[in-house]
Amino acid sequence: RNYIEHFFECLVCKINFINAYDNCAHDRCQRLIDGDTGDGDEEEPESYSTFQDWIELPLWLWETHNAVNVRLMKEHHATTASAAATTTHLDEINVEWPLRVDCPQCWNADDTWNPHVIFKYLRLIYWPDQDDIAIEYRKELDSLLLLQQEQQQHHHQKKSNNNVSKGGNLFGFTHAVLLLSFMVVVVWMYLQNVAKVKSGRHKKSDL
């Protein structure tokens, strides 16, 4: 907060960030362990004891940045000729980073994000050194992507099989109806012929 307040040159950006920070946007007050609030009321900082504690800061900054992207998109949308149309969830997705196409494993099927995967992706983007951690993270992300692709392929295959099964059932039903209709016609013609023979009308036809 102090760095943005004293060194960030964009005034509007600075005001928006400080407001977000001070108002505990994105659950900042619970997620970040903060010893110095920047308002003169200093407390002894608590220790970052777990991995989850450590990754909350980059995750919060990432989430705040995406919120800025969404807000700017909506502001731009409001000033364009299409302002009468409201923005959609898809519009928001298209300005969130990373894009789904760049890191599909970062996002869940319900468009929520996986914090641990996001953190590892951020680490590889901003600290791409080929150290042991980067190599491990890259292998994990590749494995997750492969697993996700296999699950999607299985889902599509299952859906395709269900469609084929439904189509087969419909074809079988249609075939049965046609066969039954044909049998009804045959029986009707046979009964008509029997009735004709009994009445002697076939002899008149022969004459």
Side-chain angles (χ1 to χ4, degrees), residues 74-155:
K74 291 182 177 180
E75 290 177 356
H76 174 74
H77 182 83
T79 61
T80 61
S82 59
T86 58
T87 57
T88 65
H89 180 57
L90 181 59
D91 293 327
E92 296 183 12
I93 288 177
N94 289 335
V95 297
E96 289 178 333
W97 185 87
L99 295 174
R100 271 60 171 175
V101 67
D102 293 331
C103 184
Q105 64 271 47
C106 291
W107 303 90
N108 300 317
D110 59 355
D111 286 331
T112 58
W113 45 280
N114 187 315
H116 290 282
V117 177
I118 288 289
F119 172 77
K120 292 170 184 177
Y121 184 83
L122 293 175
R123 207 279 189 178
L124 291 174
I125 292 296
Y126 292 103
W127 195 350
D129 296 346
Q130 293 300 317
D131 55 6
D132 292 340
I133 295 178
I135 293 173
E136 177 186 353
Y137 283 1
R138 189 166 285 108
K139 287 181 179 179
E140 289 183 19
L141 293 183
D142 289 343
S143 297
L144 285 173
L145 178 59
L146 180 60
L147 177 61
Q148 188 179 62
Q149 291 173 339
E150 291 176 349
Q151 290 174 341
Q152 291 175 346
Q153 184 177 6
H154 176 72
H155 174 74

Side-chain angles (χ1 to χ4, degrees), residues 6 20-21 41 52 78 87 104 123 132 134 141 160 162 165 178 180 203 205:
H6 297 292
Y21 187 94
D41 183 14
Q52 187 62 38
T87 57
R123 207 279 189 178
D132 292 340
L141 293 183
S160 176
N162 289 338
S165 177
L178 291 175
L180 180 61
K203 295 182 180 179
S205 298

Side-chain angles (χ1 to χ4, degrees), residues 16-206:
N16 287 331
F17 180 86
I18 292 176
N19 286 338
Y21 187 94
D22 291 346
N23 292 319
C24 299
H26 313 297
D27 202 25
R28 193 274 306 171
C29 295
Q30 296 298 323
R31 294 169 63 184
L32 302 187
I33 299 174
D34 185 16
D36 182 4
T37 62
D39 57 4
D41 183 14
E42 298 184 8
E43 301 175 356
E44 288 297 323
E46 301 179 39
S47 62
Y48 288 84
S49 57
T50 67
F51 177 74
Q52 187 62 38
D53 292 334
W54 280 102
I55 71 174
E56 284 301 330
L57 177 57
L59 288 177
W60 183 82
L61 290 172
W62 166 80
E63 195 172 355
T64 300
H65 189 276
N66 268 339
V68 172
N69 289 345
V70 172
R71 177 176 56 80
L72 292 177
M73 178 272 296
K74 291 182 177 180
E75 290 177 356
H76 174 74
H77 182 83
T79 61
T80 61
S82 59
T86 58
T87 57
T88 65
H89 180 57
L90 181 59
D91 293 327
E92 296 183 12
I93 288 177
N94 289 335
V95 297
E96 289 178 333
W97 185 87
L99 295 174
R100 271 60 171 175
V101 67
D102 293 331
C103 184
Q105 64 271 47
C106 291
W107 303 90
N108 300 317
D110 59 355
D111 286 331
T112 58
W113 45 280
N114 187 315
H116 290 282
V117 177
I118 288 289
F119 172 77
K120 292 170 184 177
Y121 184 83
L122 293 175
R123 207 279 189 178
L124 291 174
I125 292 296
Y126 292 103
W127 195 350
D129 296 346
Q130 293 300 317
D131 55 6
D132 292 340
I133 295 178
I135 293 173
E136 177 186 353
Y137 283 1
R138 189 166 285 108
K139 287 181 179 179
E140 289 183 19
L141 293 183
D142 289 343
S143 297
L144 285 173
L145 178 59
L146 180 60
L147 177 61
Q148 188 179 62
Q149 291 173 339
E150 291 176 349
Q151 290 174 341
Q152 291 175 346
Q153 184 177 6
H154 176 72
H155 174 74
H156 292 322
Q157 184 64 40
K158 185 177 179 180
K159 186 176 181 180
S160 176
N161 291 339
N162 289 338
N163 291 336
V164 170
S165 177
K166 290 178 181 178
N169 292 338
L170 179 60
F171 175 79
F173 175 75
T174 303
H175 182 73
V177 170
L178 291 175
L179 180 60
L180 180 61
S181 301
F182 176 75
M183 292 177 63
V184 169
V185 172
V186 170
V187 171
W188 178 81
M189 292 178 65
Y190 172 76
L191 293 176
Q192 287 290 102
N193 189 51
V194 170
K196 188 176 181 182
V197 170
K198 288 183 178 181
S199 64
R201 283 182 293 172
H202 66 291
K203 295 182 180 179
K204 296 180 182 179
S205 298
D206 293 340

